[in-house]
Amino acid sequence: MTAVRTVPPPTSELTATVDRLWEAVTAGSEEAAGAVVFGALTAGAEPESVLLEVIAAVQARIGREWAANRLTVAEEHAATAINDRVVAALAHHPVVRDAVRAGPRGRVTVSCVDGEWHAFPARLLAQVLALRGWEVDYLGAQVPTPHLIARLHRTAPVALALSASLAPRLATAHSAISAAQAAGVPVLVGGAAFGPDGRYARLLGADAWAEDARGAADRLAEGLVAPLPAHQPVDDLPHLADQEYTLVRRSAPRLVGAVMSGLAERFPAVRSYTEAQLQHTAEDTAHIVDFLGAALYTDDPELFGGFLTWTAGVLTARAVPTASLLAALEVLGHELRDLPRAVGLLDHGRAAVASPSAVPATVPHQYHGNPA
Amino acid sequence: MTELPDPVHPAPVPAPPPAAVTLPVEGDLDHESCDTLLATITAAVSTQPAGGVVRLDCTAMTMCDSMGLSTLLQIRRRTDAAGLLLLIDHRPAVLDRLLHLTGTFEHLVRRSAVRDDDAVGA
Amino acid sequence: MALLPTETPLGSAESGLAFLAGAPYPVLVLAADGAVVHGSGSAWNLLGRPAGAEGEELAEVAPWLLEAHSRLCAAATVRRHRPGAPAAETAVRGVIAGAEVEAHPSLRADGSVVWWLVGDTDRGLAAVVERERWELLARLPGLLLNSLNVDRCLETTAQQAAAHLADAAVVVSPHSGRALRFVTCLRDGPPVRGQVRADPAAVPGLAEALQGFPPVPSRWIDPETAPNWLLPEGLTAVGAVSVTPLPGHGVPAGALVLLRGPGHGAFTPSEEVFARLFAARAGAAVSAAVMYSEQAAITDLLMRELLPPRLEHMNGADFAGGYRASVDRDRVGGDFYDVHPAADPDGETLAVLGDVCGKGLEAAVLTGKIRNTLHALLPLADDHPRLLSLLNRALLTSHHTRFATMVLASVRRQQSRVTVRLSAAGHPAPLIVRADGRVEVSRTHGSLVGALPETTVVSDTVVLAPGEACVLYSDGVTEARGGPLGDAMFGEERLLHALGECARMPAEAIVERVLMLASQWVGGRRHDDMAVMVVAAPQGTRLSAAGRYGHGGFPA
């Protein structure tokens, strides 16, 4: 939800438009949402500004409100669906059609990393690029990596813009980046998964990183250099030689099981959880293991610490004490005691949760779980 | 000189009861295993005289997907064509569920019970 | 094993060497005193010396060969005097220009010796070309094969050829139709695409090279005869031009034209070897890309036919569909969905979601057949049992028992409500999401289509109030295995629970929610195709978004 994170301060006029769109979207009224956006266009607002400073701002707010437990999952999905339709409808507005700059610049493929479900940032980027005269091949969020690469071979775009908002997708992103580069297509990445300053984009050898859709469009306009000849993804990350990432990934279900029985031992309340509550707890635990994996993959304790701090916030918003989170980390530390990097990450994570004042620099990596 | 029994022609044995062959279906019956099962059954069917019985023992079947069901339907066609009775025994709940969902229970199970020789596509 | 064609004429009939013209190996004929009587072109190339060099030069390049020759001739002399002496016609090994070569002698009546030089092709040639070039040859397949796109591959070929072989290179595309398409590249410059209406036959060897048949050797042509389009902009004058076919192994792979500036003539033998190896590698890569693109074009065509349509608001009801293909097997999966809008706004729209047994092209063909047949049977859509029975008959064959399961949904708007008549043929019954969050299972069931002699079906009619939805799905969703503990089925219960949270959600949001949960459930594990289609009674006015770009959201 937060790939377009740093929205420039909008003008006061646009601020009012943001509020009106927010009301329309949360009221579930597609018609009203369309009226707000088309009204702004007719009043002379730049289509790109409407996309990035109005629609994207509302989308970011949807994510924040959900995290703060002020929107249900259903409301969040409904609002996103309406926003999505507004973007689609906007493309056919006469003002927007006229605004498309003449002359095709070439073809760009826009896709989400396999397993990524936040298609909205990629859709926004696709729309901005279309506005700027690119021929856009928008693949959305349901494209398995082999299909993406096959498509690149067939269409030979000048670049691939790859979006990911969840850090656990970084390993998959890495293989997509390497494969696209091997096919001769340079890769620009964006989205919260790549870190607030794009640190993981550099780590994974992406050709470029952009903070937001506008930045991505500017960067593509500068032109990307054809990537160097193919290399093995593992060469980017020598620390993977210790196999800890693989071991944790492989044993994820067992680790979740161990945490579940560990929690039941320590907290009598867990023993009387309903099936649905157990399910939610297991899912939350699976997310923790996912992010531990991502931190092992990138060898970055901040990634794990940032996620845990954010999770603690989400749990607190839902009146769940962080003691259970700390207990889960303890169980994981015991289970993974033979893996020194994992133990280090878990220690760091416990410290991050225990001292909430130590808010990490990283922006939360959102996920779409069902908080307990 | 004593006549030795002709070793080539041993004493006649009584005729066997209607031939029955039982074949186990184990594990997942899916796109990976169905060809093997079909080949095994086809071989077994070819040695059975008409009027015989082919039993599939599904005690150890763990799963059956759409290719597995397609294979069971194919087996049924083969046994019908050869005049054999196909019995699918010890069906696990997942198989019965699939047969009911796809409306094939009648065809594969109940019709066998009443010995209907109406062969499909044979 | 023939390293190079023996182009040097072996016309010295007086020495009785005409038979060597067809020699499969580089060959040298040495007189008893070590003088060179004859050498094949390939032998001179191997030795790195111009044709007709003297024996002294041989001593420099391959002293071991001359030594072996002397020993052999001495032994032959001995044997002439003492017939019982051992024969000495055994092969010797040595190194020529860094490459190991085996030399097989055969003694002639006049006392001269024919030396057949047999080397390991690549290793032998490795020595012929300089290290740098050899390294390029080693790197080249990687550079070329990375992209399976024909144009990219031709660009790389032109760029590398200009950088290492000549002052400029032109690669003519094998896909040239009436117009010739080509890529030109100056040394160290970017590749530039171009096309021209010209007869390739005007350039000697080009037409054959583009046809891939008959096989022709590389040849140098008179620069004066080269047409203008062949001369890249920026190359002021041309000293020499060669045309080399890119060997495509049965697939035309185009032609490589090399241009050298003034003062440069034809290649030296070692350059020639390098150019041939370069062309062989480029040809292999281009032909692989050509074959891949042809295969991909066929698959694309099939996929376009099979891809579910982008669904919209139709005749007063909302339709949304989503699909996630299984990756671990073939690309074209077994699930499909379609919406056939009614001819008039008050009519019934027929929506179909189905699952075809099997995978890959076989399933694709069956899917295509089902969709076409259903389309033809649309006039009968008011009678689901009859339509299914006719479809069943059309699909029934004695060859196999492949079948399909499906749900038919006939949708009609009546004031603010939407009536949906549902028939499940061997398929999970659709789920109804009520406005208050209740989820009901529709009461339709029936037999699969395409493998049984007759079909049976019991239909069900449901009425949707504004904000209510009917969810059609394939069993790939409920049978998805995974979850936090690894091997549990997503199952109908979880689906019902998830849909309970979807009350009043737009159709697209329900589709996305279900696919997202099921995909998260499977994680990175294998899964079957998953398809979801939602028919909803709208709560408000919808925005029109006809003609969205691309196949947004559908598998590539």
Side-chain angles (χ1 to χ4, degrees):
Chain A
M1 288 286 97
T2 53
V4 186
R5 277 165 293 103
T6 50
V7 180
T11 62
S12 59
E13 244 171 81
L14 287 181
T15 312
T17 313
V18 170
D19 290 340
R20 284 200 300 278
L21 181 61
W22 167 255
E23 276 164 35
V25 160
T26 46
S29 173
E30 192 175 317
E31 195 182 9
V36 170
V37 167
F38 294 158
L41 288 173
T42 313
E46 279 290 318
E48 194 171 298
S49 302
V50 171
L51 277 170
L52 299 180
E53 282 142 46
V54 178
I55 300 177
V58 167
Q59 193 60 34
R61 186 157 162 196
I62 293 171
R64 284 198 305 274
E65 294 293 303
W66 173 80
N69 205 21
R70 289 192 289 266
L71 277 186
T72 66
V73 167
E75 287 169 330
E76 190 245 288
H77 269 275
T80 303
I82 290 173
N83 241 353
D84 202 62
R85 286 194 69 88
V86 169
V87 173
L90 178 135
H92 300 282
H93 193 275
V95 173
V96 174
R97 279 210 300 267
D98 294 345
V100 171
R101 290 175 204 173
R105 289 161 177 261
R107 186 197 283 261
V108 173
T109 301
V110 179
S111 176
C112 296
V113 171
D114 193 6
E116 171 66 55
W117 284 90
H118 302 89
F120 199 78
R123 178 179 268 296
L124 270 186
L125 175 62
Q127 202 65 261
V128 168
L129 293 177
L131 274 177
R132 294 202 185 181
W134 292 92
E135 187 186 346
V136 182
D137 218 1
Y138 171 67
L139 303 184
Q142 295 156 50
V143 188
T145 304
H147 295 193
L148 168 66
I149 300 305
R151 183 125 178 163
L152 296 181
H153 278 299
R154 283 208 304 293
T155 56
V158 297
L160 165 67
L162 196 63
S163 162
S165 61
L166 305 168
R169 299 278 85 81
L170 285 172
T172 311
H174 194 194
S175 69
I177 292 167
S178 315
Q181 290 172 334
V185 179
V187 184
L188 175 141
V189 298
F194 294 99
D197 51 1
R199 64 179 77 163
Y200 309 129
R202 289 189 292 280
L203 185 72
L204 304 186
D207 298 286
W209 170 80
E211 191 167 23
D212 53 26
R214 190 168 271 148
D218 291 346
R219 187 65 191 80
L220 284 172
E222 286 170 25
L224 296 181
V225 181
L228 292 172
H231 66 288
Q232 295 297 316
V234 71
D235 294 341
D236 297 330
L237 305 171
H239 56 263
L240 292 182
D242 64 10
Q243 303 271 310
E244 288 198 22
Y245 169 76
T246 318
L247 290 167
V248 167
R249 287 305 321 145
R250 201 180 293 151
S251 52
R254 186 184 60 75
L255 292 172
V256 173
V259 170
M260 293 302 285
S261 29
L263 289 178
E265 261 169 45
R266 286 159 209 232
F267 302 96
V270 172
R271 275 170 253 158
S272 51
Y273 268 10
T274 64
E275 188 63 34
Q277 281 174 312
L278 284 174
Q279 179 72 36
H280 289 326
T281 311
E283 280 170 6
D284 284 349
T285 309
H287 285 301
I288 295 172
V289 176
D290 281 350
F291 276 84
L292 175 64
L296 284 170
Y297 196 82
T298 55
D299 200 29
D300 184 0
E302 283 308 316
L303 191 158
F304 193 49
F307 166 73
L308 289 174
T309 312
W310 179 83
T311 301
V314 168
L315 292 176
T316 307
R318 286 155 179 79
V320 178
T322 52
S324 58
L325 186 56
L326 287 168
L329 296 176
E330 249 167 64
V331 175
L332 286 175
H334 178 74
E335 291 294 319
L336 298 172
R337 59 190 177 277
D338 295 331
L339 307 183
R341 271 203 310 133
V343 168
L345 289 170
L346 288 161
D347 287 345
H348 177 87
R350 273 209 298 275
V353 174
S355 55
S357 59
V359 175
T362 48
V363 167
H365 306 272
Q366 291 197 7
Y367 70 98
H368 235 308
N370 290 307
Chain B
M1 203 163 162
T2 316
E3 283 271 332
L4 289 172
D6 184 351
V8 186
H9 300 290
V13 288
V21 60
T22 300
L23 296 157
V25 183
E26 289 162 351
D28 292 355
L29 181 55
D30 60 8
H31 61 281
E32 282 174 31
S33 62
C34 63
D35 287 346
T36 316
L37 177 69
L38 188 61
T40 312
I41 304 259
T42 306
V45 163
S46 66
T47 62
Q48 289 293 98
V53 178
V54 175
R55 285 180 183 276
L56 296 185
D57 181 356
C58 300
T59 310
M61 177 193 278
T62 48
M63 185 271 268
C64 180
D65 73 357
S66 63
M67 284 299 286
L69 176 57
S70 175
T71 305
L72 292 178
L73 291 166
Q74 187 72 46
I75 289 168
R76 170 73 197 212
R77 277 193 189 174
R78 302 250 165 111
T79 53
D80 281 354
L84 298 167
L85 177 65
L86 174 70
L87 296 174
I88 305 174
D89 293 340
H90 307 296
R91 296 181 306 278
V94 285
L95 179 59
D96 269 359
R97 226 180 127 245
L98 179 69
L99 298 184
H100 283 298
L101 174 68
T102 53
T104 50
F105 189 84
E106 192 77 14
H107 178 77
L108 284 174
V109 178
R110 205 159 292 155
R111 271 178 37 173
S112 298
V114 299
R115 192 63 200 260
D116 189 333
D117 284 333
D118 179 21
V120 178
Chain C
M1 227 32 197
L3 299 184
L4 290 164
T6 47
E7 281 157 11
T8 310
L10 292 170
S12 40
E14 70 271 25
S15 56
L17 293 165
F19 74 98
L20 291 175
Y25 302 118
V27 63
L28 278 178
V29 182
L30 303 183
D33 62 1
V36 179
V37 178
H38 168 76
S40 69
S42 51
W44 292 120
N45 280 328
L46 184 63
L47 295 165
R49 287 290 181 273
E54 298 299 319
E56 288 88 325
E57 293 196 47
L58 186 61
E60 279 171 31
V61 182
W64 56 274
L65 184 60
L66 270 186
E67 276 171 40
H69 180 73
S70 313
R71 276 201 307 277
L72 180 66
C73 291
T77 314
V78 172
R79 263 201 306 162
R80 268 200 285 279
H81 299 290
R82 280 196 294 147
E89 288 182 39
T90 50
V92 291
R93 297 182 72 86
V95 172
I96 297 177
E100 190 136 305
V101 174
E102 207 166 70
H104 296 261
S106 89
L107 206 56
R108 303 180 75 227
D110 63 1
S112 65
V113 179
V114 181
W115 286 96
W116 306 92
L117 306 178
V118 184
D120 169 21
T121 312
D122 271 0
R123 277 202 300 151
L125 289 171
V128 178
V129 300
E130 300 119 60
R131 169 170 294 277
E132 179 200 336
R133 288 177 165 171
W134 180 246
E135 280 168 2
L136 172 73
L137 288 175
R139 223 170 52 233
L140 198 59
L143 292 173
L144 288 166
L145 281 169
N146 277 336
S147 178
L148 290 169
N149 183 277
V150 178
D151 287 335
R152 278 282 162 89
C153 211
L154 295 176
E155 283 175 6
T156 309
T157 303
Q159 217 165 3
Q160 295 298 327
H164 300 281
L165 283 171
D167 297 306
V170 180
V171 182
V172 186
S173 166
H175 276 328
S176 299
R178 226 168 271 134
L180 289 174
R181 293 173 51 220
F182 54 88
V183 180
T184 60
C185 190
L186 290 176
R187 175 164 289 181
D188 300 328
V192 180
R193 290 189 206 175
Q195 59 176 348
V196 65
R197 274 183 177 265
D199 182 5
V203 182
L206 184 57
E208 296 92 321
L210 291 181
Q211 275 168 21
F213 190 84
V216 284
S218 146
R219 59 162 80 181
W220 291 90
I221 63 171
D222 180 356
E224 297 297 317
T225 67
N228 275 337
W229 64 267
L230 211 47
L231 309 176
E233 231 174 288
L235 193 70
T236 44
V238 180
V241 179
S242 80
V243 179
T244 303
L246 298 178
H249 310 295
V251 183
L256 172 64
V257 179
L258 298 171
L259 302 110
R260 312 190 96 183
H264 292 281
F267 283 151
T268 64
S270 83
E271 286 172 326
E272 195 82 55
V273 171
F274 176 61
R276 286 178 64 91
L277 288 172
F278 181 96
R281 278 157 173 72
V286 173
S287 60
V290 167
M291 280 194 272
Y292 177 83
S293 65
E294 281 170 2
Q295 288 289 324
I298 293 168
T299 315
D300 258 5
L301 202 67
L302 264 171
M303 290 294 289
R304 250 199 303 285
E305 283 287 305
L306 292 172
L307 272 178
R310 188 90 198 173
L311 305 180
E312 296 290 345
H313 184 79
M314 262 176 249
N315 297 334
D318 288 338
F319 294 85
Y323 177 74
R324 171 149 181 116
S326 169
V327 245
D328 55 339
R329 279 165 272 153
D330 307 66
R331 283 167 39 80
V332 186
D335 288 1
F336 67 94
Y337 58 80
D338 268 320
V339 173
H340 305 280
D344 62 288
D346 298 328
E348 272 190 338
T349 295
L350 178 68
V352 187
L353 181 142
D355 180 353
V356 170
C357 165
K359 280 284 165 284
L361 285 181
E362 190 187 54
V365 169
L366 187 52
T367 308
K369 196 170 172 185
I370 290 170
R371 295 174 93 175
N372 288 337
T373 311
L374 273 173
H375 202 263
L377 293 173
L378 275 181
L380 305 171
D382 57 340
D383 186 346
H384 285 182
R386 180 145 176 254
L387 189 151
L388 289 169
S389 169
L390 290 170
L391 178 63
N392 185 57
R393 254 174 255 170
L395 298 177
L396 205 56
T397 156
S398 58
H399 300 311
H400 59 71
T401 47
R402 296 280 189 270
F403 58 83
T405 70
M406 66 189 72
V407 174
L408 305 181
S410 288
V411 182
R412 187 198 299 270
R413 174 79 178 247
Q414 285 169 326
Q415 280 97 42
S416 66
R417 289 167 183 272
V418 169
T419 305
V420 189
R421 196 154 39 82
L422 294 164
S423 298
H427 200 91
L431 304 173
I432 316 301
V433 185
R434 295 301 180 190
D436 60 3
R438 277 178 302 128
V439 183
E440 299 164 5
V441 183
S442 64
R443 286 187 296 267
T444 168
H445 59 90
S447 57
L448 50 76
V449 177
L452 300 175
E454 294 299 334
T455 54
T456 56
V457 69
V458 175
S459 303
D460 186 18
T461 299
V462 298
V463 178
L464 304 176
E468 295 185 335
C470 172
V471 181
L472 284 61
Y473 65 96
S474 67
D475 60 7
V477 174
T478 40
E479 285 173 15
R481 285 192 171 273
L485 298 172
D487 198 36
M489 285 225 289
F490 187 69
E492 200 174 312
E493 277 307 308
R494 249 179 285 268
L495 178 60
L496 289 169
H497 180 79
L499 288 175
E501 295 178 342
C502 293
R504 297 188 170 277
M505 265 167 49
E508 298 95 322
I510 300 178
V511 168
E512 187 173 307
R513 178 83 185 144
V514 171
L515 280 180
M516 190 195 86
L517 290 176
S519 294
Q520 282 185 345
W521 188 260
V522 290
R525 298 172 193 87
R526 294 169 51 150
H527 63 83
D528 212 337
D529 285 355
M530 300 194 274
V532 180
M533 179 162 63
V534 172
V535 183
Q539 300 173 80
T541 312
R542 303 302 307 264
L543 295 168
S544 161
R548 294 185 195 181
Y549 44 78
H551 282 304
F554 288 121

